[in-house]
Amino acid sequence: MSGIAPVLDGTVLVSVGAGLAAAPKVLRRKGRPGRGGFGPEAALAVVVALIYLNQVLFAVYVQRAHGGDTSFVARHLPPGWFAVPRGNPVIDWLAAHTPAPELLAPSVLRVQAFLELPLVLLAFLTVLRRLDRGLYRRVARSPLPALAAASYTVAFCAVEWDLRNPYTVDDIALRAVSAVVTPIALAGIAARDGKAEERPVTARGLLVFTVELWAIGHLMLVLYDTALLYNLARLGERLPGAAFALAVLVATGYAAGRSPGGPAGPAVTAVGDALRDGLTLFLVPALAIRYAGSFGTPELAAAAGGVVLLGAAAGLLRRHGPRVLLRLVPAAAAGAVAGGLAVRWAVDPYYEAALLRGATAALLVTIAVCALLDASRKPVDALP
């Protein structure tokens, strides 16, 4: 257990309570169309581009100001960071033609400290918009992003302090500024999203969303490995997987614009509601739970995740009643088995990759089984 465990554990408790208190009001609220503009995907693309631009500038700075040696910063952080490109013609040309490389010193940790919060919140809201555009807009214009920004910033700063280095004070100040600016920007983006209309729940739509969830998650893992850890040299080996994930998002975006199919039955509808509720409830405590698993008390993090799931289950029980929830039991059991097998299928460098694969398999199987149960609803309803 790390010395920052009490801070992270306390953040988990406060964040779960805040999410459970604020999220139900947002879920019940009705939204209105925006005035027209771009969604979070475009803003996320801009933030990702800025992060990779900073990686290029960092590589130039290291080459010109430190002779290609990253030990000046690497000695302050754990192994696995700072795989800087060497012998890259683009980096070499930029380094040779940069007149004042010392001006690139902020590329060392500080630029990223400001951009990490909008990155994770935009990624989360992009997932939410792919599931339900109307809910995304309500969430983005609610107090939830501000609560999440506060929770995430405390978690980020706690980990910064645990890994403190000569840049820590600057990083914490920049994270505090980002925590104020980011929720305001997110609300402004959502207010102009004229395509944030409500959509009916269908089995096909949920299956498409699950594939999109995997693709977005995979891209975020590539970004984490190659950019957030300053490992730009690894980008080449990760490009094929990233290109495939991008192609999947383009294809699913096209599929989502077509006819969604017939109306969903009660089981599929309940799964859709469970995803909406679960993601909304999880928004505020997500990062604190993730870091508490590594730097805090893992048992508390697991219990907090369980409380969020129970909150989502309670909402389903109120809306659908126990009979529909009982119909979900075999589907959930099949999904759990599929998810467990998917997690064990391969060994991953980051445990988040295994969790993403397991969650994708579990959702796909659960939705498919629910669709089958809805198709045979009369025989199921006739059971004692």
Side-chain angles (χ1 to χ4, degrees):
M1 183 183 295
S2 168
I4 60 170
V7 176
L8 287 173
D9 291 346
T11 305
V12 168
L13 294 174
V14 173
S15 300
V16 169
L20 291 175
K25 300 176 183 177
V26 178
L27 288 165
R28 292 192 297 266
R29 188 182 305 160
K30 296 296 181 183
R32 292 177 296 176
R35 299 188 300 273
F38 58 88
E41 292 92 341
L44 178 61
V46 170
V47 172
V48 169
L50 290 174
I51 288 174
Y52 275 112
L53 173 62
N54 185 66
Q55 290 300 298
V56 172
L57 297 180
F58 172 76
V60 170
Y61 173 73
V62 168
Q63 186 165 322
R64 282 291 302 276
H66 294 274
D69 182 10
T70 61
S71 62
F72 73 98
V73 61
R75 65 174 178 265
H76 299 294
L77 293 164
W81 292 55
F82 304 110
V84 179
R86 301 183 186 281
N88 183 285
V90 175
I91 300 297
D92 291 346
W93 186 90
L94 288 172
H97 292 82
T98 299
E102 64 277 2
L103 296 180
L104 301 180
S107 66
V108 185
L109 301 180
R110 283 156 289 187
V111 170
Q112 201 158 284
F114 183 85
L115 293 176
E116 278 186 346
L117 179 64
L119 172 71
V120 294
L121 284 176
L122 282 168
F124 200 110
L125 291 176
T126 295
V127 169
L128 198 59
R129 189 178 186 271
R130 292 270 176 159
L131 174 65
D132 184 332
R133 292 177 176 180
L135 177 60
Y136 144 72
R137 191 165 178 272
R138 298 200 305 273
V139 168
R141 302 186 70 189
S142 76
L144 289 176
L147 292 172
S151 173
Y152 293 12
T153 300
V154 171
F156 276 138
C157 291
V159 175
E160 285 268 12
W161 189 253
D162 195 58
L163 303 174
R164 52 191 174 273
N165 54 70
Y167 309 95
T168 296
V169 174
D170 291 351
D171 289 351
I172 289 176
L174 286 167
R175 291 188 187 279
V177 174
S178 184
V180 174
V181 173
T182 299
I184 298 172
L186 295 178
I189 292 170
R192 298 187 60 82
D193 191 350
K195 295 184 178 181
E197 74 278 1
E198 303 281 353
R199 283 193 171 184
V201 175
T202 65
R204 173 183 161 182
L206 292 181
L207 290 172
V208 169
F209 165 75
T210 302
V211 175
E212 291 175 327
L213 176 64
W214 170 84
I216 294 170
H218 181 80
L219 289 172
M220 289 300 104
L221 287 174
V222 171
L223 179 70
Y224 174 79
D225 185 37
T226 61
L228 298 186
L229 297 185
Y230 287 76
N231 292 326
L232 191 59
R234 298 180 185 173
L235 182 58
E237 64 191 70
R238 302 297 299 271
L239 273 180
F244 176 73
L246 280 173
V248 166
L249 287 176
V250 172
T252 55
Y254 172 75
R258 303 180 67 185
S259 174
V268 170
T269 300
V271 172
D273 287 342
L275 285 170
R276 289 188 179 100
D277 291 5
L279 286 172
T280 306
L281 289 168
F282 195 57
L283 171 59
V284 177
L287 197 75
I289 290 175
R290 182 259 179 265
Y291 278 135
S294 300
F295 295 88
T297 305
E299 295 82 3
L300 178 64
V307 169
V308 173
L309 292 177
L310 287 175
L316 286 180
L317 185 61
R318 286 194 301 269
R319 283 198 296 274
H320 297 279
R323 190 172 186 178
V324 172
L325 294 189
L326 287 175
R327 184 178 286 126
L328 297 181
V329 172
V337 171
L341 292 175
V343 167
R344 294 177 176 272
W345 181 35
V347 177
D348 302 279
Y350 306 109
Y351 77 88
E352 290 92 345
L355 289 178
L356 177 64
R357 188 172 59 250
T360 302
L363 276 175
L364 288 173
V365 171
T366 299
I367 295 164
V369 173
C370 283
L372 291 174
L373 290 174
D374 283 339
S376 59
R377 186 163 65 246
K378 290 184 179 179
V380 171
D381 288 343
L383 292 176

PDB file of all heavy atoms in Angstrom, residues 260-299:
ATOM      1  N   PRO A 260     -32.026   1.253 -37.257  1.00  0.00           N
ATOM      2  CA  PRO A 260     -31.569   0.510 -36.083  1.00  0.00           C
ATOM      3  C   PRO A 260     -32.205  -0.853 -35.925  1.00  0.00           C
ATOM      4  O   PRO A 260     -31.805  -1.614 -35.058  1.00  0.00           O
ATOM      5  CB  PRO A 260     -31.963   1.428 -34.923  1.00  0.00           C
ATOM      6  CG  PRO A 260     -33.155   2.177 -35.428  1.00  0.00           C
ATOM      7  CD  PRO A 260     -32.913   2.376 -36.892  1.00  0.00           C
ATOM      8  N   GLY A 261     -33.197  -1.181 -36.742  1.00  0.00           N
ATOM      9  CA  GLY A 261     -33.862  -2.475 -36.589  1.00  0.00           C
ATOM     10  C   GLY A 261     -35.135  -2.345 -35.778  1.00  0.00           C
ATOM     11  O   GLY A 261     -35.583  -1.250 -35.420  1.00  0.00           O
ATOM     12  N   GLY A 262     -35.742  -3.498 -35.475  1.00  0.00           N
ATOM     13  CA  GLY A 262     -37.008  -3.517 -34.769  1.00  0.00           C
ATOM     14  C   GLY A 262     -36.881  -3.116 -33.318  1.00  0.00           C
ATOM     15  O   GLY A 262     -35.782  -3.017 -32.775  1.00  0.00           O
ATOM     16  N   PRO A 263     -38.025  -2.868 -32.664  1.00  0.00           N
ATOM     17  CA  PRO A 263     -38.003  -2.475 -31.248  1.00  0.00           C
ATOM     18  C   PRO A 263     -37.450  -3.583 -30.370  1.00  0.00           C
ATOM     19  O   PRO A 263     -37.620  -4.768 -30.660  1.00  0.00           O
ATOM     20  CB  PRO A 263     -39.477  -2.192 -30.950  1.00  0.00           C
ATOM     21  CG  PRO A 263     -40.234  -2.981 -31.972  1.00  0.00           C
ATOM     22  CD  PRO A 263     -39.391  -2.982 -33.201  1.00  0.00           C
ATOM     23  N   ALA A 264     -36.809  -3.188 -29.307  1.00  0.00           N
ATOM     24  CA  ALA A 264     -36.199  -4.159 -28.401  1.00  0.00           C
ATOM     25  C   ALA A 264     -37.234  -4.739 -27.448  1.00  0.00           C
ATOM     26  O   ALA A 264     -38.216  -4.079 -27.093  1.00  0.00           O
ATOM     27  CB  ALA A 264     -35.082  -3.493 -27.604  1.00  0.00           C
ATOM     28  N   GLY A 265     -36.994  -5.976 -27.032  1.00  0.00           N
ATOM     29  CA  GLY A 265     -37.811  -6.599 -26.017  1.00  0.00           C
ATOM     30  C   GLY A 265     -37.387  -6.146 -24.629  1.00  0.00           C
ATOM     31  O   GLY A 265     -36.445  -5.358 -24.470  1.00  0.00           O
ATOM     32  N   PRO A 266     -38.055  -6.655 -23.596  1.00  0.00           N
ATOM     33  CA  PRO A 266     -37.772  -6.184 -22.241  1.00  0.00           C
ATOM     34  C   PRO A 266     -36.356  -6.500 -21.758  1.00  0.00           C
ATOM     35  O   PRO A 266     -35.766  -5.702 -21.034  1.00  0.00           O
ATOM     36  CB  PRO A 266     -38.832  -6.897 -21.388  1.00  0.00           C
ATOM     37  CG  PRO A 266     -39.301  -8.039 -22.217  1.00  0.00           C
ATOM     38  CD  PRO A 266     -39.189  -7.605 -23.636  1.00  0.00           C
ATOM     39  N   ALA A 267     -35.809  -7.649 -22.130  1.00  0.00           N
ATOM     40  CA  ALA A 267     -34.469  -7.999 -21.654  1.00  0.00           C
ATOM     41  C   ALA A 267     -33.411  -7.091 -22.271  1.00  0.00           C
ATOM     42  O   ALA A 267     -32.526  -6.581 -21.581  1.00  0.00           O
ATOM     43  CB  ALA A 267     -34.167  -9.469 -21.953  1.00  0.00           C
ATOM     44  N   VAL A 268     -33.480  -6.894 -23.585  1.00  0.00           N
ATOM     45  CA  VAL A 268     -32.516  -6.013 -24.249  1.00  0.00           C
ATOM     46  C   VAL A 268     -32.675  -4.581 -23.756  1.00  0.00           C
ATOM     47  O   VAL A 268     -31.680  -3.866 -23.532  1.00  0.00           O
ATOM     48  CB  VAL A 268     -32.696  -6.092 -25.782  1.00  0.00           C
ATOM     49  CG1 VAL A 268     -31.864  -5.008 -26.470  1.00  0.00           C
ATOM     50  CG2 VAL A 268     -32.291  -7.468 -26.288  1.00  0.00           C
ATOM     51  N   THR A 269     -33.925  -4.146 -23.562  1.00  0.00           N
ATOM     52  CA  THR A 269     -34.153  -2.803 -23.029  1.00  0.00           C
ATOM     53  C   THR A 269     -33.517  -2.646 -21.650  1.00  0.00           C
ATOM     54  O   THR A 269     -32.913  -1.603 -21.341  1.00  0.00           O
ATOM     55  CB  THR A 269     -35.662  -2.513 -22.946  1.00  0.00           C
ATOM     56  OG1 THR A 269     -36.224  -2.604 -24.253  1.00  0.00           O
ATOM     57  CG2 THR A 269     -35.928  -1.127 -22.382  1.00  0.00           C
ATOM     58  N   ALA A 270     -33.639  -3.679 -20.825  1.00  0.00           N
ATOM     59  CA  ALA A 270     -33.042  -3.619 -19.487  1.00  0.00           C
ATOM     60  C   ALA A 270     -31.520  -3.541 -19.564  1.00  0.00           C
ATOM     61  O   ALA A 270     -30.886  -2.822 -18.778  1.00  0.00           O
ATOM     62  CB  ALA A 270     -33.470  -4.847 -18.678  1.00  0.00           C
ATOM     63  N   VAL A 271     -30.913  -4.274 -20.507  1.00  0.00           N
ATOM     64  CA  VAL A 271     -29.459  -4.197 -20.669  1.00  0.00           C
ATOM     65  C   VAL A 271     -29.044  -2.785 -21.085  1.00  0.00           C
ATOM     66  O   VAL A 271     -28.055  -2.228 -20.578  1.00  0.00           O
ATOM     67  CB  VAL A 271     -28.962  -5.228 -21.697  1.00  0.00           C
ATOM     68  CG1 VAL A 271     -27.484  -5.019 -22.005  1.00  0.00           C
ATOM     69  CG2 VAL A 271     -29.172  -6.635 -21.175  1.00  0.00           C
ATOM     70  N   GLY A 272     -29.807  -2.192 -22.014  1.00  0.00           N
ATOM     71  CA  GLY A 272     -29.510  -0.818 -22.414  1.00  0.00           C
ATOM     72  C   GLY A 272     -29.610   0.151 -21.251  1.00  0.00           C
ATOM     73  O   GLY A 272     -28.742   1.021 -21.070  1.00  0.00           O
ATOM     74  N   ASP A 273     -30.644  -0.003 -20.433  1.00  0.00           N
ATOM     75  CA  ASP A 273     -30.779   0.855 -19.249  1.00  0.00           C
ATOM     76  C   ASP A 273     -29.642   0.618 -18.255  1.00  0.00           C
ATOM     77  O   ASP A 273     -29.159   1.556 -17.608  1.00  0.00           O
ATOM     78  CB  ASP A 273     -32.127   0.603 -18.571  1.00  0.00           C
ATOM     79  CG  ASP A 273     -33.290   1.179 -19.360  1.00  0.00           C
ATOM     80  OD1 ASP A 273     -33.039   2.041 -20.228  1.00  0.00           O
ATOM     81  OD2 ASP A 273     -34.439   0.766 -19.121  1.00  0.00           O
ATOM     82  N   ALA A 274     -29.217  -0.641 -18.132  1.00  0.00           N
ATOM     83  CA  ALA A 274     -28.118  -0.955 -17.218  1.00  0.00           C
ATOM     84  C   ALA A 274     -26.828  -0.276 -17.671  1.00  0.00           C
ATOM     85  O   ALA A 274     -26.058   0.252 -16.845  1.00  0.00           O
ATOM     86  CB  ALA A 274     -27.913  -2.467 -17.141  1.00  0.00           C
ATOM     87  N   LEU A 275     -26.576  -0.261 -18.973  1.00  0.00           N
ATOM     88  CA  LEU A 275     -25.382   0.407 -19.486  1.00  0.00           C
ATOM     89  C   LEU A 275     -25.465   1.915 -19.257  1.00  0.00           C
ATOM     90  O   LEU A 275     -24.483   2.542 -18.833  1.00  0.00           O
ATOM     91  CB  LEU A 275     -25.225   0.117 -20.976  1.00  0.00           C
ATOM     92  CG  LEU A 275     -24.722  -1.284 -21.327  1.00  0.00           C
ATOM     93  CD1 LEU A 275     -24.836  -1.535 -22.824  1.00  0.00           C
ATOM     94  CD2 LEU A 275     -23.280  -1.452 -20.873  1.00  0.00           C
ATOM     95  N   ARG A 276     -26.628   2.511 -19.532  1.00  0.00           N
ATOM     96  CA  ARG A 276     -26.789   3.946 -19.302  1.00  0.00           C
ATOM     97  C   ARG A 276     -26.559   4.295 -17.833  1.00  0.00           C
ATOM     98  O   ARG A 276     -25.813   5.218 -17.498  1.00  0.00           O
ATOM     99  CB  ARG A 276     -28.192   4.395 -19.717  1.00  0.00           C
ATOM    100  CG  ARG A 276     -28.447   4.414 -21.213  1.00  0.00           C
ATOM    101  CD  ARG A 276     -29.800   5.057 -21.464  1.00  0.00           C
ATOM    102  NE  ARG A 276     -30.119   5.146 -22.889  1.00  0.00           N
ATOM    103  CZ  ARG A 276     -30.909   4.313 -23.519  1.00  0.00           C
ATOM    104  NH1 ARG A 276     -31.465   3.298 -22.868  1.00  0.00           N
ATOM    105  NH2 ARG A 276     -31.163   4.468 -24.806  1.00  0.00           N
ATOM    106  N   ASP A 277     -27.244   3.562 -16.958  1.00  0.00           N
ATOM    107  CA  ASP A 277     -27.131   3.853 -15.529  1.00  0.00           C
ATOM    108  C   ASP A 277     -25.717   3.597 -15.024  1.00  0.00           C
ATOM    109  O   ASP A 277     -25.149   4.401 -14.274  1.00  0.00           O
ATOM    110  CB  ASP A 277     -28.121   2.995 -14.739  1.00  0.00           C
ATOM    111  CG  ASP A 277     -29.572   3.389 -14.984  1.00  0.00           C
ATOM    112  OD1 ASP A 277     -29.817   4.258 -15.844  1.00  0.00           O
ATOM    113  OD2 ASP A 277     -30.454   2.829 -14.315  1.00  0.00           O
ATOM    114  N   GLY A 278     -25.146   2.459 -15.422  1.00  0.00           N
ATOM    115  CA  GLY A 278     -23.825   2.104 -14.926  1.00  0.00           C
ATOM    116  C   GLY A 278     -22.765   3.106 -15.335  1.00  0.00           C
ATOM    117  O   GLY A 278     -21.942   3.529 -14.516  1.00  0.00           O
ATOM    118  N   LEU A 279     -22.764   3.514 -16.609  1.00  0.00           N
ATOM    119  CA  LEU A 279     -21.772   4.485 -17.062  1.00  0.00           C
ATOM    120  C   LEU A 279     -21.962   5.834 -16.373  1.00  0.00           C
ATOM    121  O   LEU A 279     -20.982   6.486 -15.992  1.00  0.00           O
ATOM    122  CB  LEU A 279     -21.862   4.651 -18.574  1.00  0.00           C
ATOM    123  CG  LEU A 279     -21.302   3.498 -19.413  1.00  0.00           C
ATOM    124  CD1 LEU A 279     -21.635   3.691 -20.884  1.00  0.00           C
ATOM    125  CD2 LEU A 279     -19.795   3.372 -19.219  1.00  0.00           C
ATOM    126  N   THR A 280     -23.206   6.266 -16.217  1.00  0.00           N
ATOM    127  CA  THR A 280     -23.457   7.563 -15.581  1.00  0.00           C
ATOM    128  C   THR A 280     -23.035   7.547 -14.113  1.00  0.00           C
ATOM    129  O   THR A 280     -22.413   8.498 -13.620  1.00  0.00           O
ATOM    130  CB  THR A 280     -24.943   7.932 -15.710  1.00  0.00           C
ATOM    131  OG1 THR A 280     -25.331   7.882 -17.084  1.00  0.00           O
ATOM    132  CG2 THR A 280     -25.200   9.326 -15.176  1.00  0.00           C
ATOM    133  N   LEU A 281     -23.363   6.465 -13.412  1.00  0.00           N
ATOM    134  CA  LEU A 281     -22.978   6.355 -12.005  1.00  0.00           C
ATOM    135  C   LEU A 281     -21.464   6.215 -11.836  1.00  0.00           C
ATOM    136  O   LEU A 281     -20.899   6.644 -10.820  1.00  0.00           O
ATOM    137  CB  LEU A 281     -23.669   5.147 -11.372  1.00  0.00           C
ATOM    138  CG  LEU A 281     -25.177   5.266 -11.152  1.00  0.00           C
ATOM    139  CD1 LEU A 281     -25.766   3.906 -10.802  1.00  0.00           C
ATOM    140  CD2 LEU A 281     -25.488   6.267 -10.051  1.00  0.00           C
ATOM    141  N   PHE A 282     -20.812   5.626 -12.838  1.00  0.00           N
ATOM    142  CA  PHE A 282     -19.385   5.354 -12.731  1.00  0.00           C
ATOM    143  C   PHE A 282     -18.526   6.552 -13.104  1.00  0.00           C
ATOM    144  O   PHE A 282     -17.334   6.582 -12.795  1.00  0.00           O
ATOM    145  CB  PHE A 282     -19.037   4.170 -13.636  1.00  0.00           C
ATOM    146  CG  PHE A 282     -17.694   3.548 -13.366  1.00  0.00           C
ATOM    147  CD1 PHE A 282     -17.368   3.056 -12.114  1.00  0.00           C
ATOM    148  CD2 PHE A 282     -16.750   3.440 -14.372  1.00  0.00           C
ATOM    149  CE1 PHE A 282     -16.140   2.482 -11.865  1.00  0.00           C
ATOM    150  CE2 PHE A 282     -15.519   2.859 -14.140  1.00  0.00           C
ATOM    151  CZ  PHE A 282     -15.206   2.378 -12.884  1.00  0.00           C
ATOM    152  N   LEU A 283     -19.117   7.562 -13.755  1.00  0.00           N
ATOM    153  CA  LEU A 283     -18.327   8.680 -14.256  1.00  0.00           C
ATOM    154  C   LEU A 283     -17.505   9.349 -13.162  1.00  0.00           C
ATOM    155  O   LEU A 283     -16.295   9.557 -13.323  1.00  0.00           O
ATOM    156  CB  LEU A 283     -19.259   9.709 -14.920  1.00  0.00           C
ATOM    157  CG  LEU A 283     -18.623  11.049 -15.321  1.00  0.00           C
ATOM    158  CD1 LEU A 283     -17.474  10.832 -16.289  1.00  0.00           C
ATOM    159  CD2 LEU A 283     -19.676  11.971 -15.935  1.00  0.00           C
ATOM    160  N   VAL A 284     -18.114   9.703 -12.054  1.00  0.00           N
ATOM    161  CA  VAL A 284     -17.404  10.473 -11.021  1.00  0.00           C
ATOM    162  C   VAL A 284     -16.307   9.647 -10.327  1.00  0.00           C
ATOM    163  O   VAL A 284     -15.179  10.115 -10.203  1.00  0.00           O
ATOM    164  CB  VAL A 284     -18.402  11.046  -9.993  1.00  0.00           C
ATOM    165  CG1 VAL A 284     -17.648  11.774  -8.874  1.00  0.00           C
ATOM    166  CG2 VAL A 284     -19.371  12.006 -10.677  1.00  0.00           C
ATOM    167  N   PRO A 285     -16.561   8.422  -9.884  1.00  0.00           N
ATOM    168  CA  PRO A 285     -15.518   7.710  -9.136  1.00  0.00           C
ATOM    169  C   PRO A 285     -14.564   6.885  -9.997  1.00  0.00           C
ATOM    170  O   PRO A 285     -13.670   6.229  -9.442  1.00  0.00           O
ATOM    171  CB  PRO A 285     -16.334   6.784  -8.230  1.00  0.00           C
ATOM    172  CG  PRO A 285     -17.539   6.453  -9.039  1.00  0.00           C
ATOM    173  CD  PRO A 285     -17.849   7.692  -9.839  1.00  0.00           C
ATOM    174  N   ALA A 286     -14.690   6.909 -11.321  1.00  0.00           N
ATOM    175  CA  ALA A 286     -13.958   5.960 -12.166  1.00  0.00           C
ATOM    176  C   ALA A 286     -12.451   5.988 -11.924  1.00  0.00           C
ATOM    177  O   ALA A 286     -11.827   4.950 -11.669  1.00  0.00           O
ATOM    178  CB  ALA A 286     -14.270   6.242 -13.640  1.00  0.00           C
ATOM    179  N   LEU A 287     -11.837   7.159 -12.012  1.00  0.00           N
ATOM    180  CA  LEU A 287     -10.376   7.227 -11.921  1.00  0.00           C
ATOM    181  C   LEU A 287      -9.883   6.957 -10.503  1.00  0.00           C
ATOM    182  O   LEU A 287      -8.843   6.321 -10.310  1.00  0.00           O
ATOM    183  CB  LEU A 287      -9.879   8.591 -12.401  1.00  0.00           C
ATOM    184  CG  LEU A 287      -8.386   8.613 -12.733  1.00  0.00           C
ATOM    185  CD1 LEU A 287      -8.127   7.902 -14.053  1.00  0.00           C
ATOM    186  CD2 LEU A 287      -7.872  10.046 -12.824  1.00  0.00           C
ATOM    187  N   ALA A 288     -10.620   7.419  -9.506  1.00  0.00           N
ATOM    188  CA  ALA A 288     -10.227   7.154  -8.122  1.00  0.00           C
ATOM    189  C   ALA A 288     -10.240   5.653  -7.841  1.00  0.00           C
ATOM    190  O   ALA A 288      -9.336   5.124  -7.178  1.00  0.00           O
ATOM    191  CB  ALA A 288     -11.155   7.893  -7.159  1.00  0.00           C
ATOM    192  N   ILE A 289     -11.264   4.954  -8.359  1.00  0.00           N
ATOM    193  CA  ILE A 289     -11.323   3.503  -8.170  1.00  0.00           C
ATOM    194  C   ILE A 289     -10.147   2.835  -8.871  1.00  0.00           C
ATOM    195  O   ILE A 289      -9.501   1.927  -8.327  1.00  0.00           O
ATOM    196  CB  ILE A 289     -12.658   2.955  -8.702  1.00  0.00           C
ATOM    197  CG1 ILE A 289     -13.804   3.401  -7.785  1.00  0.00           C
ATOM    198  CG2 ILE A 289     -12.632   1.432  -8.795  1.00  0.00           C
ATOM    199  CD1 ILE A 289     -15.179   3.010  -8.294  1.00  0.00           C
ATOM    200  N   ARG A 290      -9.833   3.291 -10.084  1.00  0.00           N
ATOM    201  CA  ARG A 290      -8.723   2.696 -10.820  1.00  0.00           C
ATOM    202  C   ARG A 290      -7.396   2.859 -10.073  1.00  0.00           C
ATOM    203  O   ARG A 290      -6.615   1.925  -9.945  1.00  0.00           O
ATOM    204  CB  ARG A 290      -8.637   3.326 -12.209  1.00  0.00           C
ATOM    205  CG  ARG A 290      -7.530   2.731 -13.105  1.00  0.00           C
ATOM    206  CD  ARG A 290      -6.316   3.635 -13.127  1.00  0.00           C
ATOM    207  NE  ARG A 290      -5.251   3.084 -13.932  1.00  0.00           N
ATOM    208  CZ  ARG A 290      -4.259   2.373 -13.455  1.00  0.00           C
ATOM    209  NH1 ARG A 290      -4.213   2.074 -12.166  1.00  0.00           N
ATOM    210  NH2 ARG A 290      -3.290   1.926 -14.224  1.00  0.00           N
ATOM    211  N   TYR A 291      -7.112   4.069  -9.573  1.00  0.00           N
ATOM    212  CA  TYR A 291      -5.838   4.300  -8.892  1.00  0.00           C
ATOM    213  C   TYR A 291      -5.817   3.695  -7.490  1.00  0.00           C
ATOM    214  O   TYR A 291      -4.754   3.303  -7.006  1.00  0.00           O
ATOM    215  CB  TYR A 291      -5.535   5.798  -8.827  1.00  0.00           C
ATOM    216  CG  TYR A 291      -4.924   6.341 -10.095  1.00  0.00           C
ATOM    217  CD1 TYR A 291      -5.369   7.536 -10.654  1.00  0.00           C
ATOM    218  CD2 TYR A 291      -3.899   5.664 -10.745  1.00  0.00           C
ATOM    219  CE1 TYR A 291      -4.820   8.035 -11.822  1.00  0.00           C
ATOM    220  CE2 TYR A 291      -3.340   6.157 -11.908  1.00  0.00           C
ATOM    221  CZ  TYR A 291      -3.806   7.343 -12.439  1.00  0.00           C
ATOM    222  OH  TYR A 291      -3.255   7.836 -13.597  1.00  0.00           O
ATOM    223  N   ALA A 292      -6.968   3.630  -6.838  1.00  0.00           N
ATOM    224  CA  ALA A 292      -7.000   2.996  -5.515  1.00  0.00           C
ATOM    225  C   ALA A 292      -6.652   1.517  -5.618  1.00  0.00           C
ATOM    226  O   ALA A 292      -6.097   0.935  -4.680  1.00  0.00           O
ATOM    227  CB  ALA A 292      -8.376   3.171  -4.876  1.00  0.00           C
ATOM    228  N   GLY A 293      -6.946   0.894  -6.752  1.00  0.00           N
ATOM    229  CA  GLY A 293      -6.576  -0.499  -6.943  1.00  0.00           C
ATOM    230  C   GLY A 293      -5.074  -0.708  -6.983  1.00  0.00           C
ATOM    231  O   GLY A 293      -4.592  -1.801  -6.662  1.00  0.00           O
ATOM    232  N   SER A 294      -4.313   0.331  -7.373  1.00  0.00           N
ATOM    233  CA  SER A 294      -2.851   0.216  -7.477  1.00  0.00           C
ATOM    234  C   SER A 294      -2.117   0.914  -6.338  1.00  0.00           C
ATOM    235  O   SER A 294      -1.099   0.418  -5.854  1.00  0.00           O
ATOM    236  CB  SER A 294      -2.377   0.809  -8.811  1.00  0.00           C
ATOM    237  OG  SER A 294      -2.957   0.147  -9.909  1.00  0.00           O
ATOM    238  N   PHE A 295      -2.620   2.080  -5.924  1.00  0.00           N
ATOM    239  CA  PHE A 295      -1.915   2.883  -4.931  1.00  0.00           C
ATOM    240  C   PHE A 295      -2.644   2.964  -3.594  1.00  0.00           C
ATOM    241  O   PHE A 295      -2.105   3.514  -2.642  1.00  0.00           O
ATOM    242  CB  PHE A 295      -1.709   4.316  -5.459  1.00  0.00           C
ATOM    243  CG  PHE A 295      -0.812   4.408  -6.654  1.00  0.00           C
ATOM    244  CD1 PHE A 295      -1.321   4.289  -7.934  1.00  0.00           C
ATOM    245  CD2 PHE A 295       0.549   4.623  -6.499  1.00  0.00           C
ATOM    246  CE1 PHE A 295      -0.498   4.392  -9.044  1.00  0.00           C
ATOM    247  CE2 PHE A 295       1.387   4.729  -7.601  1.00  0.00           C
ATOM    248  CZ  PHE A 295       0.857   4.605  -8.878  1.00  0.00           C
ATOM    249  N   GLY A 296      -3.873   2.475  -3.536  1.00  0.00           N
ATOM    250  CA  GLY A 296      -4.655   2.550  -2.312  1.00  0.00           C
ATOM    251  C   GLY A 296      -4.992   1.181  -1.776  1.00  0.00           C
ATOM    252  O   GLY A 296      -4.137   0.297  -1.703  1.00  0.00           O
ATOM    253  N   THR A 297      -6.257   0.990  -1.412  1.00  0.00           N
ATOM    254  CA  THR A 297      -6.716  -0.288  -0.869  1.00  0.00           C
ATOM    255  C   THR A 297      -7.533  -1.006  -1.943  1.00  0.00           C
ATOM    256  O   THR A 297      -8.661  -0.596  -2.238  1.00  0.00           O
ATOM    257  CB  THR A 297      -7.587  -0.051   0.380  1.00  0.00           C
ATOM    258  OG1 THR A 297      -6.848   0.737   1.325  1.00  0.00           O
ATOM    259  CG2 THR A 297      -7.978  -1.377   1.011  1.00  0.00           C
ATOM    260  N   PRO A 298      -6.996  -2.069  -2.544  1.00  0.00           N
ATOM    261  CA  PRO A 298      -7.716  -2.754  -3.630  1.00  0.00           C
ATOM    262  C   PRO A 298      -9.088  -3.267  -3.209  1.00  0.00           C
ATOM    263  O   PRO A 298     -10.036  -3.234  -3.993  1.00  0.00           O
ATOM    264  CB  PRO A 298      -6.775  -3.905  -4.007  1.00  0.00           C
ATOM    265  CG  PRO A 298      -5.421  -3.463  -3.544  1.00  0.00           C
ATOM    266  CD  PRO A 298      -5.662  -2.640  -2.318  1.00  0.00           C
ATOM    267  N   GLU A 299      -9.197  -3.734  -1.950  1.00  0.00           N
ATOM    268  CA  GLU A 299     -10.490  -4.242  -1.493  1.00  0.00           C
ATOM    269  C   GLU A 299     -11.546  -3.134  -1.471  1.00  0.00           C
ATOM    270  O   GLU A 299     -12.708  -3.362  -1.824  1.00  0.00           O
ATOM    271  CB  GLU A 299     -10.346  -4.858  -0.095  1.00  0.00           C
ATOM    272  CG  GLU A 299      -9.449  -6.089  -0.041  1.00  0.00           C
ATOM    273  CD  GLU A 299      -7.966  -5.762   0.023  1.00  0.00           C
ATOM    274  OE1 GLU A 299      -7.616  -4.551   0.091  1.00  0.00           O
ATOM    275  OE2 GLU A 299      -7.153  -6.704   0.002  1.00  0.00           O
TER     276      GLU A 299
END
